[in-house]
Amino acid sequence: MKLTEFFHKELIVTNLQANNKEEVFEVLFNKLLENGYVKESFLEGIMTREKNFPTGLLLNGNNVAIPHTDPEHVLKPAIAVATLSKPVVFKNMANPQEDVNVNIVFMIALNAAHSQVELLQQLVEMIQNGSLLEEILKAKGGDEVVKIIESYQTLEKE
């Protein structure tokens, strides 16, 4: 399972202007829904899970959120991405009392629970690369984000 298989240009929004995480969730959910990746129930699943298990990650410089929900809300696996024009507040995964100003959201839609662990490991490895996140934030569209991630994956294999 290669991480690049889950990224599709039509599921990526660059320089999104959002006031809060709920707006980000709605935009990414609509992309996933319109393209046949998730069921109507996916958005409520994401919102509920985020309340109970926050997904904000404090990284050096560009903070990330990786919202996801249960496989029964997903038709086919994908990762929707939003780079934000200004950060929105998420709760910290490690300390739910703490706010995290997030710049990039990777919304994970997986239809098999067993694949979640492997995918999350690969994604966490990728987002720990600060220069890669910088490149993703500067990208002007979904095509560019996919190319950046593909070139990162190629370098990882070498």
Side-chain angles (χ1 to χ4, degrees):
M1 176 178 60
K2 282 178 28 205
L3 195 57
T4 49
E5 294 168 22
F6 296 93
F7 292 94
H8 309 282
K9 64 182 180 196
E10 67 275 10
L11 302 178
I12 299 172
V13 182
T14 55
N15 209 27
L16 177 66
Q17 294 188 1
N19 296 312
N20 54 47
K21 66 179 179 262
E22 289 77 18
E23 284 181 21
V24 177
F25 289 169
E26 281 186 39
V27 169
L28 292 179
F29 160 72
N30 285 322
K31 291 272 182 202
L32 288 162
L33 186 67
E34 287 162 15
N35 289 285
Y37 288 92
V38 299
K39 300 175 186 174
E40 286 281 343
S41 61
F42 185 82
L43 182 59
E44 191 177 325
I46 283 279
M47 300 269 202
T48 302
R49 193 170 199 300
E50 188 69 29
K51 275 186 203 128
N52 299 321
F53 304 99
T55 61
L57 293 171
L58 270 175
L59 301 168
N60 296 330
N62 295 305
N63 300 323
V64 170
I66 50 172
H68 51 284
T69 190
D70 301 315
E72 69 255 20
H73 305 293
V74 179
L75 298 169
K76 51 187 185 178
I79 300 175
V81 181
T83 62
L84 307 176
S85 61
K86 65 180 195 329
V88 299
V89 174
F90 276 73
K91 292 294 182 186
N92 189 339
M93 187 186 287
N95 175 6
Q97 272 63 57
E98 186 180 7
D99 288 343
V100 177
N101 291 317
V102 166
N103 304 79
I104 307 176
V105 177
F106 294 93
M107 183 177 278
I108 303 169
L110 290 179
N111 56 359
H114 64 273
S115 57
Q116 221 163 356
V117 174
E118 188 183 338
L119 180 78
L120 278 172
Q121 285 173 333
Q122 288 182 43
L123 188 60
V124 166
E125 231 170 77
M126 185 183 86
I127 62 179
Q128 288 174 336
N129 181 326
S131 58
L132 178 80
L133 292 182
E134 281 294 325
E135 280 186 63
I136 291 172
L137 274 171
K138 289 178 191 157
K140 299 282 187 270
D143 279 350
E144 215 176 304
V145 172
V146 169
K147 283 184 184 127
I148 291 164
I149 292 168
E150 283 173 350
S151 63
Y152 162 78
Q153 281 272 264
T154 306
L155 289 172
E156 285 297 290
K157 297 252 178 314
E158 290 173 6

